[in-house]
């Protein structure tokens, strides 16, 4: 019996957000809204998103002994996340500088801070959390050698989910453990590198699978997502909503997917649910503050009962669906 449905190993940042009419070009200054400070970071976001949906969640991360660190810890605890694995001190909490335009699209620059001090030794010291968790999810806002140690620390029957953001080349040891590897279009192209063959997400997914992952999910923004495994390749439609802010939508998608996989759902079923959670997240401002409860996600499911996995094909021309956007954290 597992104590946790999901262990998230990853970053915890303070999000410093400014709304802009348009994002600046190189060398240009634009005026923006008042600065807003929110709890964020890909790891912390995933933990909050999963806990709000009802998953028993624990976070393994580092924050500074500062106001931003307190903000992050308070947010995790308020959502119901177990923070026993959050280490405090040494260097300042990580910070993300985010601009959001009127369409809801965002641009992000991250200063890792304490996230860069989450070491392989910290992972080994938290061995009990790995053995107590059904699914383990991580990202690349922590050192790559730490991610490698996460893979080496997995319990025999646990499932490993990786969103390689920000993207970089990955060692085969990490790729082989992914079930699934979750990428957007940009991340897929970076990981494929010169191995990219073909111009469709279906082509990319098949080549990614050949690199080692047991399964692959490619998020396609307003066109939904694509799931691929040894069982084949399927499209998951987006849910049509009016986007307000895409910040953190990809993290909500990943958290929902990881949790539902742990409950025994198929990859396509879990991705369809995650698409609804990601869509709900973009209808509100902010990252963690936008994440739906299980009841809110269910309400969206009832509103769009026809959305579900389908075989590969073109998205209808009149679709205005919104899924986890490529640039969303």
């Amino acid at each position: 019996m597992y104590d946790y449905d999901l262990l998230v190993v990853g970053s915890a940042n303070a999000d410093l957000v400014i709304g802009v009419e348009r994002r600046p070009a190189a060398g240009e200054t634009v005026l923006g809204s008042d600065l807003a400070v929110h709890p964020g970071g890909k790891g912390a976001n995933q933990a909050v998103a999963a806990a709000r949906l009802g998953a028993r969640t624990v976070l393994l991360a580092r924050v500074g002994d500062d106001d931003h660190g307190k903000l992050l810890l308070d947010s995790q605890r308020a959502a119901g996340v177990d923070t026993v694995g959050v280490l405090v001190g040494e260097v300042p909490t990580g910070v993300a500088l985010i601009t959001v335009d009127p369409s809801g699209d965002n641009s992000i620059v991250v200063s890792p801070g304490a996230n860069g001090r989450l070491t392989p030794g910290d992972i080994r010291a938290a061995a009990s959390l790995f053995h107590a968790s059904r699914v383990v999810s991580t990202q690349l806002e922590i050192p790559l050698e730490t991610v490698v140690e996460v893979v080496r620390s997995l319990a025999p029957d646990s499932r490993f989910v990786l969103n390689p953001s920000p993207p970089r080349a990955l060692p085969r040891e990490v790729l082989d453990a992914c079930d699934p590897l979750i990428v957007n279009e940009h991340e897929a192209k970076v990981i494929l590198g010169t191995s990219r063959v073909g111009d469709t997400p279906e082509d990319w997914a098949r080549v990614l699978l050949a690199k080692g992952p047991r399964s692959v999910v490619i998020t396609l923004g307003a066109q939904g997502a694509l799931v691929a495994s040894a069982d084949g390749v399927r499209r998951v439609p987006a849910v049509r909503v009016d986007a307000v802010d895409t910040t953190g939508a990809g993290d909500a998608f990943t958290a929902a997917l990881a949790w539902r996989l742990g409950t025994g759902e198929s990859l396509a079923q879990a991705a369809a649910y995650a698409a609804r959670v990601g869509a709900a997240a973009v209808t509100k401002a902010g990252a963690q503050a936008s994440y739906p409860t299980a009841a809110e996600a269910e309400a969206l499911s009832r509103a769009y009962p026809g959305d579900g996995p389908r075989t590969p094909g073109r998205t209808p021309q009149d679709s205005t669906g919104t899924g986890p956007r490529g640039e969303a954290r």
Side-chain angles (χ1 to χ4, degrees):
M1 179 65 182
Y2 292 100
D3 294 327
Y4 302 106
D5 299 311
L6 180 64
L7 163 62
V8 180
V9 184
S11 59
N13 295 323
D15 286 349
L16 310 185
V17 184
I18 298 178
V20 293
E21 285 301 314
R22 60 183 176 81
R23 284 169 283 180
E28 182 184 18
T29 299
V30 299
L31 295 178
S33 66
D34 291 341
L35 176 69
V37 182
H38 304 290
K42 296 188 71 63
N45 286 351
Q46 287 183 18
V48 166
R52 284 181 60 82
L53 292 169
R56 297 169 299 165
T57 308
V58 60
L59 175 65
L60 176 53
R62 272 195 179 275
V63 298
D65 186 11
D66 50 29
D67 289 343
H68 288 158
K70 183 179 184 301
L71 171 72
L72 286 157
L73 284 168
D74 288 346
S75 176
Q76 294 293 308
R77 291 164 181 161
V81 177
D82 190 337
T83 59
V84 66
V86 179
L87 306 169
V88 180
E90 294 189 12
V91 293
T93 301
V95 172
L97 308 177
I98 304 173
T99 58
V100 183
D101 70 20
S103 73
D105 282 339
N106 58 50
S107 296
I108 304 169
V109 177
V110 175
S111 172
N115 300 307
R117 306 303 200 279
L118 189 66
T119 68
D122 295 329
I123 302 304
R124 290 189 291 270
S128 61
L129 294 181
F130 285 86
H131 289 280
S133 302
R134 185 183 304 276
V135 180
V136 178
S137 177
T138 192
Q139 325 79 35
L140 297 183
E141 287 184 338
I142 57 176
L144 183 57
E145 60 265 27
T146 304
V147 175
V148 172
E149 192 62 34
V150 168
V151 168
R152 293 173 180 173
S153 301
L154 295 171
D157 297 327
S158 64
R159 189 163 187 162
F160 178 63
V161 176
L162 174 65
N163 172 218
S165 179
R168 70 188 80 172
L170 295 171
R172 184 63 186 250
E173 181 179 6
V174 171
L175 287 169
D176 285 349
C178 294
D179 192 16
L181 175 74
I182 303 176
V183 292
N184 61 30
E185 296 171 75
H186 169 66
E187 292 155 0
K189 291 173 183 178
V190 171
I191 292 171
L192 286 169
T194 57
S195 300
R196 184 157 64 95
V197 177
D199 296 322
T200 70
E202 286 80 7
D203 295 329
W204 307 339
R206 293 185 181 100
V207 179
L208 284 170
L209 282 175
K211 288 183 172 290
R214 302 173 195 179
S215 60
V216 169
V217 175
I218 301 178
T219 59
L220 301 170
Q223 295 180 356
L226 179 147
V227 302
S229 68
D231 295 329
V233 179
R234 304 181 73 181
R235 288 269 187 160
V236 176
V239 176
R240 292 182 294 275
V241 295
D242 294 324
V244 173
D245 181 2
T246 64
T247 306
D251 299 330
F253 178 94
T254 297
L257 178 71
W259 172 50
R260 298 296 275 223
L261 287 174
T263 67
E265 288 190 348
S266 70
L267 184 62
Q269 290 170 329
Y273 179 81
R276 294 183 178 93
V277 172
V282 305
T283 64
K284 300 177 183 178
Q288 294 177 20
S290 73
Y291 294 155
T293 63
E296 290 168 338
E298 178 61 27
L300 192 61
S301 297
R302 290 195 300 269
Y304 299 92
D307 290 340
R310 63 171 182 255
T311 53
R314 292 181 62 83
T315 301
Q317 293 298 316
D318 61 352
S319 172
T320 56
T322 298
R325 305 294 290 267
E327 63 273 34
R329 290 194 323 113

